[in-house]
């Protein structure tokens, strides 16, 4: 095994059976070449066009708090980063974001934040039900980390439809290299299963090229995605942040991120696959390349402009260019230039 022809056979088999063994995943990831990647992307585009056409779904991302009780070694808003200027949006601020987002054409609002205890279950359910009653035709996605089954249940009852919680890495030992001892891969996975059981459309994912990550770790991540069978998968390159323990670690690559996007599209043909902000940060046309590798979602920033530069998970995070919600026109132009178009729709997953 290992020549391009052998690896093409693996890609063909992945396309047909939608699965590979742990060893095959590692061989494919380790042995990838630009030629193989092109072979993969072509298939990934055919599959995404078969299920989702050339439409790109948009999600309005509202980063409503950058306070966080966690201390993840990679993240710029970790609790020990004393240099982060902290902020919280009020319910009124959040509703104003939705209001302008709705007018721009967004039909999904993603409430994303650090794990901030100020937003108790009562406060969160108030916010969720206000959005739900004001814009009943919109989907509400939460991305606020690990909470109890009971909290997740209350949020769903209040009107939350979807939940994003990246598993970050499947492997417990690797997970412990990225997080302090009080966090565990097992608890994170438990949260994902809880969310599924409650009927959420679930999104998970991981960083590509995170410190100490091996092709075997990525193989385990692929197998976990297969087992969880989520409605969405968010992946993006790790990008160092100067105020974290991983400041000096190398960033993940565009090339490996694109390759994994293509593999995920072949493994889970109907999954929603965002071309993430991190991808747009490491290369000026990163998000277009993500679409051409099989992605079908973009998540422009709807947060109030004055807080955007404070939600810095990593260095140089883009926040005022075409990824800003106000710039949908130019984002659409970029998508048109590669043969795709933004669409106004809730964009529910076909992976049910
Ligand atoms: N580089 C890239 N992605 C990051 N995230 C957090 N910090 C970084 C970083 N330095 C990702 C994590 C998290 C999501 C909200 O952002 O995967 O789940």
């Amino acid at each position: 095994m290992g020549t391009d022809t052998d690896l093409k056979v693996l890609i063909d088999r992945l396309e047909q059976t939608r699965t590979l063994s742990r060893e095959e995943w590692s061989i494919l990831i380790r042995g990838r070449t630009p030629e193989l990647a092109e072979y993969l992307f072509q298939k990934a585009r055919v599959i995404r066009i078969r299920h989702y056409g050339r439409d790109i779904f948009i999600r309005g991302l509202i980063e409503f708090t950058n306070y966080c009780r966690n201390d993840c070694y990679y993240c710029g808003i970790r609790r020990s980063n004393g240099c982060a200027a902290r902020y919280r949006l009020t319910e009124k601020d959040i509703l104003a974001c939705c209001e302008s987002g709705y007018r721009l054409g967004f039909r999904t609002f993603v409430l994303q934040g650090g794990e901030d205890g100020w937003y108790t279950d009562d406060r969160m359910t108030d916010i969720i039900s206000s959005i739900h009653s004001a814009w009943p035709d919109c989907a509400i996605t939460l991305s606020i980390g690990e909470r109890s089954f009971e909290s997740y249940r209350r949020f769903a009852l209040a009107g939350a439809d979807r939940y994003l919680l990246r598993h970050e890495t499947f492997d417990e030992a690797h997970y412990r290299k990225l997080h302090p001892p009080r966090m565990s891969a097992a608890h994170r996975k438990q949260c994902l299963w809880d969310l599924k059981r409650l009927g959420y459309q679930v999104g998970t994912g991981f960083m590509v090229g995170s410190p100490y990550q091996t092709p075997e770790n990525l193989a385990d991540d692929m197998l976990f995605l297969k087992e969880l069978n989520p409605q969405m998968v968010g992946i993006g390159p790790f990008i160092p942040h100067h105020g974290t323990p991983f400041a000096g670690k190398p960033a993940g690559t565009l090339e490996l991120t694109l390759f994994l996007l293509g593999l995920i599209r072949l493994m889970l043909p109907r999954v929603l696959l965002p071309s993430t902000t991190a991808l747009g940060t490491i290369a000026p046309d990163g998000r277009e390349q993500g679409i051409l590798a099989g992605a079908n979602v973009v998540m422009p920033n709807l947060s109030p402009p004055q807080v955007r530069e404070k939600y810095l998970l990593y260095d140089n995070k883009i926040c005022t260019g075409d990824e800003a919600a106000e710039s949908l026109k130019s984002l659409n132009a970029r998508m048109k230039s590669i043969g795709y178009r933004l669409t106004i729709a809730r964009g529910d997953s076909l992976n049910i």
Side-chain angles (χ1 to χ4, degrees), residues 74-76 112 166 168 188 207 237-241 278 313-314:
Y74 47 84
C75 185
Q112 183 171 94
R166 290 186 175 179
E168 309 298 358
R188 200 130 182 120
M207 289 178 295
F238 160 73
I239 302 173
H241 182 288
L313 305 181
Y314 43 80

Side-chain angles (χ1 to χ4, degrees), residues 310-352:
K310 300 194 177 115
Y311 199 84
L312 283 186
L313 305 181
Y314 43 80
D315 287 339
N316 307 314
K317 179 168 169 256
I318 50 175
C319 64
T320 54
D322 284 356
E323 75 299 331
E326 311 80 58
S327 317
L328 278 187
K329 268 206 180 111
S330 54
L331 187 60
N332 198 28
R334 280 173 177 242
M335 294 300 147
K336 281 198 164 151
S337 76
I338 55 166
Y340 296 80
R341 56 178 173 255
L342 302 183
T343 178
I344 296 182
R346 270 175 60 111
D348 287 295
S349 181
L350 299 173
N351 195 39
I352 42 170

Side-chain angles (χ1 to χ4, degrees), residues 140-161:
I140 301 174
T141 304
L142 300 179
S143 178
I144 54 174
E146 298 176 26
R147 297 249 188 166
S148 68
F149 185 86
E150 180 54 22
S151 304
Y152 289 152
R153 199 182 62 84
R154 290 188 58 192
F155 302 156
L157 279 176
D161 306 280

Side-chain angles (χ1 to χ4, degrees), residues 88-221:
R88 291 186 175 107
L89 299 187
T90 63
E91 175 169 338
K92 195 162 158 267
D93 296 331
I94 295 171
L95 292 173
C97 293
C98 297
E99 175 83 52
S100 58
Y102 192 90
R103 251 183 281 117
L104 289 164
F106 289 94
R107 297 296 177 267
T108 292
F109 302 119
V110 181
L111 300 184
Q112 183 171 94
E115 293 195 11
D116 179 358
W118 191 87
Y119 295 91
T120 57
D121 289 358
D122 285 343
R123 286 189 172 128
M124 276 318 296
T125 47
D126 282 349
I127 294 168
I128 295 162
S129 38
S130 302
I131 297 175
H132 187 61
S133 57
W135 296 282
D137 55 330
C138 292
I140 301 174
T141 304
L142 300 179
S143 178
I144 54 174
E146 298 176 26
R147 297 249 188 166
S148 68
F149 185 86
E150 180 54 22
S151 304
Y152 289 152
R153 199 182 62 84
R154 290 188 58 192
F155 302 156
L157 279 176
D161 306 280
R162 308 180 184 148
Y163 206 103
L164 308 182
L165 183 73
R166 290 186 175 179
H167 67 281
E168 309 298 358
T169 180
F170 175 84
D171 182 73
E172 192 69 59
H174 184 225
Y175 195 92
R176 273 187 259 111
K177 291 182 184 165
L178 306 181
H179 303 93
R182 65 167 294 275
M183 298 179 74
S184 75
H187 188 256
R188 200 130 182 120
K189 287 170 207 157
Q190 185 55 52
C191 289
L192 285 163
W193 291 112
D194 287 349
L195 290 161
K196 270 215 123 175
R197 189 143 68 90
L198 284 162
Y200 280 93
Q201 297 175 42
V202 168
T204 195
F206 52 87
M207 289 178 295
V208 177
S210 60
Y212 316 108
Q213 185 181 65
T214 64
E216 285 68 31
N217 293 146
L218 289 169
D220 287 337
D221 290 326

